Amino acid sequence: MATPEEDDTGLHIALGGEPDAARDTRAVLASMGCEAETRIDANGLTDGPREPAAIWLCGPASTVAAQADAAPDSLPVVAQPTDGGKVEHQAVDWVVEHPVSVSRVTQILQWLRFGGQRVHDDVPGLVGHHPTMVGVKRLVAQVARTDATALILGETGSGKEVVARAIHDASDRADKPFVAVNCGAIPPDLLESELFGHEKGAFTGAFTARTGRFELAQDGTLFLDEIGDMPLPMQVKLLRVLQERVFERVGSNKSITTHARIIAATHRNLDEAVAEGNFRQDLFFRLNVFPIELPPLRERASDIPQLITALEERLREQGGSPAHLTPAVVAHLERLDWTGNIRELGNLLEQLSIMYPDLPVDLGQLPPRVRPEGVEDRSGAAAEPGGASAGSSASATGPNMPGPDGLPPEGVDLRDYLNDLERSMIEAALADTGHVVARAARRLGMRRTTLVERMRKFGLGRDSDG
């Protein structure tokens, strides 16, 4: 099996399955320096003078699954379903879309270069079961076992720091510091001091000595976010540290040794930056030891329900009360482009938790920027669990409450209105369920403990815990 020190050249891939698909995939692999042998019937894929690094199967999902079942347990298997079907088989290590993309092939070859060992797909902190995220989890688990420098590539908001923390937490440095610094958010004239620290009097305003991020990281992990925005003069100094593992504080000639592991990330195309002269090629080579490419959220939309659950749990841990999204809302969110990726989704959930704490939210309550066209604006009221707007319920309106025709002439106190609305819905749910708290909580789409807290807030009694 190839080692991390080797490049992709010489990797032998055994291809089997549909002739056209296998031929096209072979061309992609060959362009990346691999030897790919095509066997149309997919039989005897391991025959020959040289054992393949992996078996690559192209064809309908059902056929690929059957062929994978017959593959040797010792070899990694890549499935390329040409009919777009799902391949869920314990013998399959990777599932790639047809036709294959260069970035996806790069991920697989990177995995094979580092041993191609099967690892557990559940990496704490990483959410999702889309095939691209399964691949990311495997790369994370694999590189975490080493001290190799990792380069995380992905759009803004796609979760690059989350991946960096997952690598750190899965490594033997997990009990050491994880120190993050955004290279694009610090003025160029302060970045050196931020990374390496400075001595007292090193420059105007340096009234005390300061410890830099490299020292703070100690034997842990230093995460250099947005490395593509680092100024060229600073790139030279960073390259020296990566090569020699020593640095000096600003204003000092005393060398300090660092054993910190480096993980870098960027949303920029560093190949283009190198070609344009904006990023040093030698530094790129130093950082690009183990690249991990994160997919944008729009390419893994099937993970959105899981991400919503995880983000809502984080809101609860921070003391928030997430809104309860109806199935129609979740389905709609899966169809959006999400240019801001997971960060944009998280911001939306936080906004809804403020507007509708612990209340149901239907399509009409969504902010205008994500509300479907043609859906009536019902942002003044929370949705009923059944999907209708609570603002149309007679029990939720009063002489000073906004009804279907809009606000009363004298205006309304929104906080009081929402409190009255929430209280009325809780009272209605309790009445409908015979004051059995557990059943009422299910009717309201919230946890029983949350409902108890809300009842205590409004001074409502508890006749039964259910």
Side-chain angles (χ1 to χ4, degrees):
M1 192 70 68
T3 64
E5 289 75 20
E6 298 172 341
D7 59 17
D8 294 332
T9 304
L11 277 180
H12 180 61
I13 309 294
L15 271 167
E18 291 185 353
D20 291 343
R23 182 172 57 250
D24 293 343
T25 300
R26 179 181 183 181
V28 174
L29 291 169
S31 71
M32 303 182 74
C34 295
E35 297 179 16
E37 180 181 1
T38 305
R39 294 179 181 268
I40 303 304
D41 59 2
N43 292 322
L45 283 171
T46 58
D47 295 344
R50 184 180 178 189
E51 183 183 41
I55 294 176
W56 197 301
L57 302 173
C58 308
S62 57
T63 303
V64 167
Q67 293 171 343
D69 194 46
D73 293 337
S74 59
L75 291 178
V77 175
V78 181
Q80 182 181 331
T82 55
D83 58 355
K86 289 186 177 181
V87 179
E88 297 179 352
H89 195 289
Q90 60 181 4
V92 174
D93 296 276
W94 291 80
V95 178
V96 297
E97 295 179 353
H98 176 77
V100 296
S101 66
V102 172
S103 62
R104 189 75 165 137
V105 173
T106 301
Q107 275 191 328
I108 296 172
L109 297 183
Q110 184 72 31
W111 180 67
L112 291 172
R113 286 178 57 225
F114 273 72
Q117 299 179 15
R118 289 170 179 165
V119 296
H120 200 273
D121 288 344
D122 276 338
V123 177
L126 298 185
V127 178
H129 293 297
H130 188 277
T132 56
M133 278 308 296
V134 172
V136 168
K137 290 178 183 180
R138 290 179 176 176
L139 292 175
V140 166
Q142 192 170 30
V143 75
R145 301 194 301 264
T146 75
D147 287 327
T149 300
L151 177 63
I152 305 171
L153 307 169
E155 294 182 3
T156 300
S158 57
K160 296 186 288 295
E161 183 169 347
V162 174
V163 171
R165 287 185 179 275
I167 294 173
H168 173 77
D169 292 341
S171 73
D172 57 6
R173 300 172 183 257
D175 59 339
K176 303 294 193 303
F178 176 90
V179 179
V181 56
N182 189 323
C183 300
I186 301 173
D189 54 341
L190 297 180
L191 187 54
E192 181 178 5
S193 171
E194 187 71 24
L195 291 177
F196 306 137
H198 63 254
E199 297 293 347
K200 179 180 179 180
F203 50 83
T204 303
F207 300 115
T208 60
R210 187 178 190 276
T211 302
R213 300 300 179 97
F214 269 96
E215 283 185 81
L216 292 175
Q218 299 174 5
D219 296 329
T221 300
L222 178 62
F223 175 53
L224 300 175
D225 198 7
E226 298 303 347
I227 190 74
D229 295 333
M230 179 177 283
L232 281 169
M234 193 64 223
Q235 293 179 27
V236 179
K237 297 176 181 180
L238 176 60
L239 178 63
R240 173 179 174 261
V241 179
L242 296 181
Q243 290 175 333
E244 302 178 15
R245 309 303 297 184
V246 296
F247 64 93
E248 295 83 31
R249 287 183 175 184
V250 177
S252 171
N253 58 7
K254 179 182 178 182
S255 294
I256 301 174
T257 301
T258 177
H259 300 288
R261 181 198 192 144
I262 304 300
I263 300 177
T266 182
H267 72 282
R268 299 189 182 279
N269 186 321
L270 291 186
D271 287 307
E272 292 182 359
V274 170
E276 295 170 357
N278 296 323
F279 201 85
R280 292 183 61 94
Q281 187 177 53
D282 45 9
L283 177 59
F284 174 62
F285 290 151
R286 278 284 177 179
L287 295 173
N288 198 37
V289 176
F290 195 94
I292 299 176
E293 186 171 351
L294 286 184
L297 184 55
R298 60 183 173 275
E299 292 182 7
R300 47 178 293 222
S302 59
D303 285 340
I304 285 180
Q306 287 179 270
L307 287 167
I308 289 174
T309 299
L311 291 169
E312 288 178 342
E313 186 58 35
R314 187 174 69 181
L315 283 172
R316 292 188 186 95
E317 291 173 356
Q318 296 171 350
S321 300
H324 303 285
L325 309 183
T326 65
V329 169
V330 176
H332 171 66
L333 297 183
E334 291 185 63
R335 294 190 290 267
L336 299 181
D337 286 339
W338 296 112
T339 55
N341 293 293
I342 300 173
R343 181 178 298 139
E344 183 183 2
L345 175 62
N347 289 343
L348 172 64
L349 296 178
E350 184 175 6
Q351 179 183 356
L352 293 175
S353 73
I354 296 171
M355 296 175 63
Y356 310 103
D358 261 328
L359 295 174
V361 168
D362 205 355
L363 294 171
Q365 283 76 40
L366 291 175
R369 71 179 188 280
V370 295
R371 188 187 309 134
E373 291 186 10
V375 173
E376 182 184 0
D377 180 4
R378 305 294 302 177
S379 56
E384 291 182 349
S389 172
S392 62
S393 172
S395 63
T397 59
N400 294 320
M401 296 298 171
D405 296 329
L407 293 173
E410 66 275 16
V412 65
D413 187 311
L414 183 59
R415 182 185 297 275
D416 289 344
Y417 165 62
L418 291 176
N419 282 332
D420 290 342
L421 174 62
E422 181 179 1
R423 178 183 179 121
S424 66
M425 292 183 71
I426 292 175
E427 289 176 334
L430 290 170
D432 290 345
T433 58
H435 285 264
V436 178
V437 176
R439 294 179 185 174
R442 286 193 293 270
R443 288 289 301 274
L444 293 169
M446 65 174 64
R447 293 182 300 175
R448 181 174 111 17
T449 53
T450 302
L451 177 56
V452 170
E453 293 174 0
R454 288 288 188 254
M455 291 171 61
R456 185 179 299 115
K457 170 185 174 182
F458 294 120
L460 302 176
R462 294 174 54 190
D463 294 344
S464 174
D465 283 343

